[in-house]
Amino acid sequence: MALQFILIKEKAGYDISDIVEKVTWSGRKNSPARSLQLGLIDDPSLGSANRADIDVYSGCHLIFLEDGTELFRGIIMKQVQSQDHTLTITAYDNAIYLSNNRDSFSYRKKTLTEIFMDICKKYGISRGETASVLYKIPIITDVNVTVYDVLCNALSQTYKGTGERFYMISKRGQLHLIRRKEQITKLVLETGAEGSSYGNLTQYSYSKDISNVRTRLKLISQEGKALVQWADADLEEKIGMMQESQTPDDTLSKSKLKTMAVTMLNELKKPAESLNVTALGISSVYAGMAVYISIPDINIGRTFYVDADTHTWEGDYHTMKLTLNFATDLESINENGETEVDKTSEKSATKAAKQAIKEAAAALKKKKAAESRVIKAGKRAEKAADAAEKALKNAAKAKKVEKAQKYAKTVITQSAKAQTENEKAKEALVAAKELMNIAQSTITTNADFAAKQAEASARRASAAAAGAEQYL
């Protein structure tokens, strides 16, 4: 494990890895920016060349890499020097601008995607991957709030309207809007069977709380009229009636309201389960991600979301402390590999809602598969176009006619491949778009980009083929 720290000062980069003694990299839910705190040697007797000489008012930036992979990029905002010749600096990634800008906002019939893009543009925040959301939020009017507050409002209203969760994260100096369900890792943190010391999880503390559990949900209109009501009768027999009410988008159909009620109640009726663990450090585990936790001693074997993380490096020793919450919006799989379903009353409305959810899940699965085909076709088209252009250059360089003709034929072949992959990308994109309304989810920007990439590659390949005709 090789850690590297690059200080950007007055547009020049300096490697300060040799004077770093301690590293703390952390982030948490409900706080937009991740932070990086470094403890540096700051001994004047070592000479100016061995001191960081940082002034936060000068706009210094910091880049943190592990084994060549960038984990953090941000601006240094705090410095503390002490008599023991140490300098502690704290940097925040570019999500800090969400909490450090305050204004008044008004949006009508705008999607989360549109609001996110508008805010990034207005406040000069570099934007990266942006999940595409179809649901239009009826109205957002916030006065004298932070940019982060209005985005949290948009995130909350989108969840209420669609049942989907999104979150924001900064990577490589860009702010991303990402679907939370798509950030699931295959990593397992475990203590080992029957209290065994074998495992990467070293300490844990587990709590369970039903004080915020709701047994029934009522969706009401703006005028106060009940639209849909859904309850878990079995749970009410055990703990009594606890009702939540929500006001959804008035334009939603009756069937969609039923689906929303069942989906939301399935989450609201779950107890709040919090787990704090200390484990051997894994850099790809941070707030917003989901990991599988196995603690046989207390019968835990399930997926949790990371709500907060603190990674610490002291020398080569890397540990992490995580605050986790049970991922209630992810399917629970039993030991037989089957999806567990709550045993509620099987009335006709229940069946219709469950069927709608099942159809949406199936459509989402098919849509993602189609998106994957778009991206793969785009890559293959680009590869074919590159090969065509390379063969055309070789044909131009060839001294013998026969060799030039051979290269020209390769150009024609690769051009045809590019055209084929372009058609495949178009077909897959159309298939994905047909499913997006059922799945309550739109095409990702990656698939759209890949389709455009395939089309551009096909054009490049066609141009190469036209240029190769002179050698045939």
Side-chain angles (χ1 to χ4, degrees):
M1 177 185 65
L3 303 183
Q4 187 178 17
F5 303 90
I6 306 298
L7 172 66
I8 309 298
K9 185 170 56 174
E10 296 176 354
K11 297 184 180 180
Y14 304 88
D15 191 331
I16 60 170
S17 307
D18 290 341
I19 59 173
V20 175
E21 292 186 309
K22 185 176 179 179
V23 183
T24 303
W25 178 52
S26 60
R28 61 184 174 85
K29 183 182 177 182
N30 300 325
S31 178
R34 293 187 63 79
S35 66
L36 177 66
Q37 186 178 85
L38 301 184
L40 307 176
I41 300 170
D42 191 44
D43 190 343
S45 66
L46 297 176
S48 60
N50 295 301
R51 300 182 72 183
D53 190 26
I54 291 170
D55 178 7
V56 293
Y57 210 59
S58 299
C60 298
H61 286 71
L62 193 62
I63 299 175
F64 170 34
L65 304 99
E66 181 186 45
D67 294 328
T69 299
E70 184 176 314
L71 299 183
F72 176 91
R73 181 184 301 197
I75 184 171
I76 301 172
M77 303 193 77
K78 184 178 179 180
Q79 65 184 88
V80 179
Q81 290 174 284
S82 62
Q83 71 276 8
D84 60 356
H85 297 148
T86 61
L87 169 63
T88 302
I89 58 174
T90 305
Y92 297 89
D93 62 34
N94 75 333
I96 192 66
Y97 298 105
L98 299 181
S99 56
N100 283 19
N101 281 290
R102 185 176 287 273
D103 208 336
S104 295
F105 303 87
S106 180
Y107 293 103
R108 289 180 179 272
K109 292 292 182 181
K110 296 292 184 182
T111 66
L112 171 61
T113 302
E114 290 170 329
I115 295 171
F116 177 76
M117 293 173 68
D118 180 62
I119 282 174
C120 287
K121 183 178 180 180
K122 281 183 179 178
Y123 296 93
I125 301 171
S126 181
R127 180 173 59 86
E129 179 183 347
T130 304
S132 185
V133 185
L134 279 180
Y135 174 71
K136 291 185 179 294
I137 300 167
I139 184 171
I140 288 182
T141 304
D142 289 325
V143 179
N144 193 25
V145 298
T146 67
V147 173
Y148 184 60
D149 288 333
V150 75
L151 282 170
C152 284
N153 190 349
L155 288 166
S156 176
Q157 291 203 43
T158 298
Y159 169 67
K160 290 176 183 178
T162 66
E164 270 199 300
R165 291 194 184 278
F166 297 81
Y167 79 107
M168 296 166 293
I169 189 170
S170 177
K171 293 181 181 178
R172 299 183 66 83
Q174 293 185 317
L175 190 65
H176 303 257
L177 177 66
I178 300 173
R179 276 186 175 79
R180 199 169 189 185
K181 281 186 178 182
E182 294 174 356
Q183 302 308 301
I184 303 169
T185 71
K186 295 181 180 179
L187 295 171
V188 177
L189 303 181
E190 57 185 344
T191 56
E194 298 179 358
S196 166
S197 59
Y198 296 102
N200 50 6
L201 195 156
T202 57
Q203 295 180 13
Y204 64 84
S205 173
Y206 175 61
S207 67
K208 199 170 185 177
D209 182 359
I210 67 165
S211 58
N212 290 319
V213 161
R214 297 295 178 263
T215 62
R216 62 176 57 200
L217 174 66
K218 181 184 286 186
L219 299 181
I220 58 177
S221 67
Q222 299 284 352
E223 295 76 26
K225 179 185 176 182
L227 301 173
V228 172
Q229 182 170 297
W230 195 249
D232 186 329
D234 292 344
L235 185 59
E236 286 191 350
E237 285 185 10
K238 297 175 184 177
I239 66 173
M241 187 178 83
M242 300 180 190
Q243 179 173 290
E244 173 71 17
S245 64
Q246 299 280 351
T247 302
D249 184 355
D250 289 342
T251 63
L252 293 176
S253 66
K254 191 80 171 179
S255 62
K256 285 187 177 180
L257 287 172
K258 289 178 182 177
T259 301
M260 180 188 295
V262 174
T263 302
M264 291 181 69
L265 185 61
N266 279 343
E267 183 166 347
L268 290 169
K269 72 183 183 182
K270 301 285 186 181
E273 297 179 84
S274 181
L275 179 63
N276 294 286
V277 304
T278 300
L280 299 179
I282 303 172
S283 301
S284 58
V285 176
Y286 47 81
M289 306 297 291
V291 292
Y292 189 87
I293 304 292
S294 174
I295 308 176
D297 284 355
I298 53 176
N299 297 317
I300 286 181
R302 60 179 63 167
T303 302
F304 285 79
Y305 278 130
V306 181
D307 275 357
D309 68 281
T310 300
H311 290 256
T312 303
W313 287 263
E314 292 189 80
D316 290 333
Y317 191 56
H318 177 194
T319 59
M320 61 183 180
K321 292 184 178 180
L322 308 175
T323 299
L324 305 130
N325 270 314
F326 179 43
T328 55
D329 56 343
L330 298 177
E331 288 184 338
S332 178
I333 307 299
N334 63 27
E335 60 186 3
N336 297 320
E338 302 167 336
T339 303
E340 293 179 346
V341 179
D342 293 318
K343 296 179 180 178
T344 53
S345 57
E346 291 296 325
K347 294 181 180 179
S348 59
T350 315
K351 291 180 180 179
K354 285 185 176 180
Q355 182 61 31
I357 294 170
K358 190 179 290 185
E359 288 173 1
L364 181 59
K365 188 175 181 181
K366 290 179 181 178
K367 184 183 74 65
K368 286 186 175 180
E371 289 174 353
S372 178
R373 289 196 296 274
V374 176
I375 293 167
K376 288 179 180 178
K379 289 180 179 178
R380 287 194 293 263
E382 185 175 28
K383 187 176 179 181
D386 289 342
E389 289 176 341
K390 184 178 179 181
L392 181 59
K393 288 179 181 178
N394 289 333
K397 292 178 183 178
K399 294 180 179 179
K400 293 184 178 180
V401 175
E402 295 83 0
K403 201 166 187 179
Q405 289 178 338
K406 183 179 179 182
Y407 281 125
K409 289 178 181 178
T410 301
V411 176
I412 303 301
T413 301
Q414 294 299 330
S415 178
K417 285 183 179 179
Q419 297 291 349
T420 300
E421 296 302 336
N422 180 35
E423 291 303 317
K424 287 181 181 179
K426 285 181 181 178
E427 290 173 5
L429 190 62
V430 169
K433 286 184 175 179
E434 287 176 353
L435 293 161
M436 68 186 181
N437 289 329
I438 302 173
Q440 293 185 344
S441 170
T442 61
I443 308 304
T444 63
T445 53
N446 287 340
D448 282 324
F449 175 77
K452 291 175 183 176
Q453 179 191 54
E455 188 176 356
S457 297
R459 286 198 300 267
R460 285 199 293 125
S462 294
E469 289 180 0
Q470 62 183 300
Y471 303 106
L472 295 173

